[in-house]
Amino acid sequence: MICGTSSCHMGVSEKPIFVPGVWGPYFSAMVPGLWLNEGGQSATGKLIDHVVRGHVAFPELQSKAAASAHSIYTYLNSHLDLIKKSLPVGFLTVDLHVWPDFHGNRSPLTDLTLKGMVVGLTLSRGLDELALIYLATIQAIALGTRHILETMQAAGHDINTLFLCGGLSKNPLFVQMHADITGKPVVLSKEVESVLVGAAILGACASGDFASIQEAMAKMGKIGRVVQPNHEHKRFYDKKYEVFLKLVEHQREYRSIMNSL
């Protein structure tokens, strides 16, 4: 996964696999000799930023984050730890659910007319509520990733591990939610600026230092941290995923009702 302003879900296979709602397969597009499928989410980092900065409590968040010399997202992560009490952080959104397609759905539904949805709002306007909608948005993005992965697996891909890079991979909450919600370990690169590593690999291969891109990848790509899913939380996220799929089903029902005018 390349996760930043938007996200790409890159899966390779030895034989071509056609996946509904996912681009490809493309031969040798990413790794020579392998077929590439590419799923995607049109707005991920952009969506998180939109939700956080558009909240009435954002000025308070800015002020407190600056006073603590932390980024707004590091501060929000810490604030969630403060308000969770005895619960796992993710369980705070038991009655708050987000459908994340504020900019349409690229994969796996390929429907640019879909809209974002939030269910479970109250009249509260404080920093606690901002932290909760931030968490629910991250979970929705991870649930969307699960939707894409399940579609790819149903078509024939064998996916047991996620490799994350990009700006959002620097957010530990984003990474842990992807591990917990997909049920798969998440591997992070030792070098956080993965684009630089990729450019160096291509350069080293072009200069003749390695006989192939695969050899250069094996020697130059280093694993950093591996984040494991908490399987004790599986039932909760299975229920969240059930609600997640209901949200888009209901949105389409509402559209059908209005289109019958």
Side-chain angles (χ1 to χ4, degrees):
M1 277 184 62
I2 307 166
C3 40
T5 303
S6 59
S7 291
C8 294
H9 303 71
M10 320 288 277
V12 293
S13 57
E14 293 182 349
K15 295 181 179 180
I17 299 174
F18 292 85
V19 185
V22 172
W23 293 355
Y26 307 118
F27 186 63
S28 293
M30 186 170 74
V31 180
L34 296 178
W35 293 85
L36 172 69
N37 287 102
E38 180 185 347
Q41 292 165 296
S42 300
T44 50
K46 177 64 176 177
L47 175 60
I48 295 168
D49 201 49
H50 171 78
V51 168
V52 169
R53 292 179 180 273
H55 196 278
V56 68
F58 179 68
E60 180 187 355
L61 169 63
Q62 267 190 314
S63 175
K64 289 185 174 179
S68 66
H70 289 118
S71 74
I72 57 174
Y73 297 112
T74 299
Y75 190 89
L76 281 172
N77 292 351
S78 297
H79 192 75
L80 285 167
D81 284 333
L82 286 176
I83 66 176
K84 70 176 185 177
K85 299 180 181 177
S86 62
L87 290 171
V89 165
F91 289 25
L92 289 169
T93 59
V94 65
D95 55 2
L96 181 61
H97 310 283
V98 173
W99 179 263
D101 289 333
F102 286 51
H103 197 53
N105 184 281
R106 178 177 155 190
S107 300
L109 303 178
T110 59
D111 187 347
L112 58 82
T113 68
L114 287 174
K115 305 295 191 292
M117 302 170 72
V118 181
V119 176
L121 294 175
T122 72
L123 291 176
S124 300
R125 297 158 51 91
L127 192 54
D128 287 2
E129 285 65 41
L130 171 51
L132 291 177
I133 192 64
Y134 159 71
L135 171 61
T137 302
I138 287 178
Q139 289 176 332
I141 292 167
L143 290 162
T145 289
R146 176 170 168 173
H147 197 193
I148 292 168
L149 295 182
E150 288 190 357
T151 303
M152 294 177 73
Q153 288 173 303
H157 274 281
D158 181 15
I159 303 170
N160 53 38
T161 304
L162 299 182
F163 294 82
L164 260 62
C165 65
L168 288 175
S169 69
K170 301 174 186 178
N171 184 332
L173 180 65
F174 183 90
V175 174
Q176 189 64 60
M177 286 298 102
H178 273 73
D180 290 348
I181 286 171
T182 64
K184 303 181 189 302
V186 174
V187 177
L188 302 174
S189 172
K190 185 176 181 180
E191 171 53 64
V192 295
E193 299 299 339
S194 299
V195 172
L196 300 181
V197 178
I201 286 171
L202 293 176
C205 190
S207 66
D209 288 284
F210 296 100
S212 67
I213 289 179
Q214 287 91 330
E215 182 186 353
M217 289 169 60
K219 293 290 179 65
M220 298 175 67
K222 303 297 182 183
I223 291 176
R225 192 161 60 96
V226 179
V227 178
Q228 298 291 342
N230 190 329
H231 294 295
E232 293 179 1
H233 302 166
K234 182 181 185 301
R235 188 169 182 273
F236 177 82
Y237 290 117
D238 284 348
K239 293 297 183 184
K240 286 283 288 187
Y241 187 55
E242 189 177 340
V243 173
F244 181 79
L245 296 179
K246 282 289 184 183
L247 288 173
V248 70
E249 179 184 330
H250 292 167
Q251 181 175 159
R252 285 171 161 170
E253 287 178 6
Y254 305 154
R255 181 186 300 169
S256 177
I257 291 169
M258 297 309 297
N259 286 344
S260 66
L261 286 171

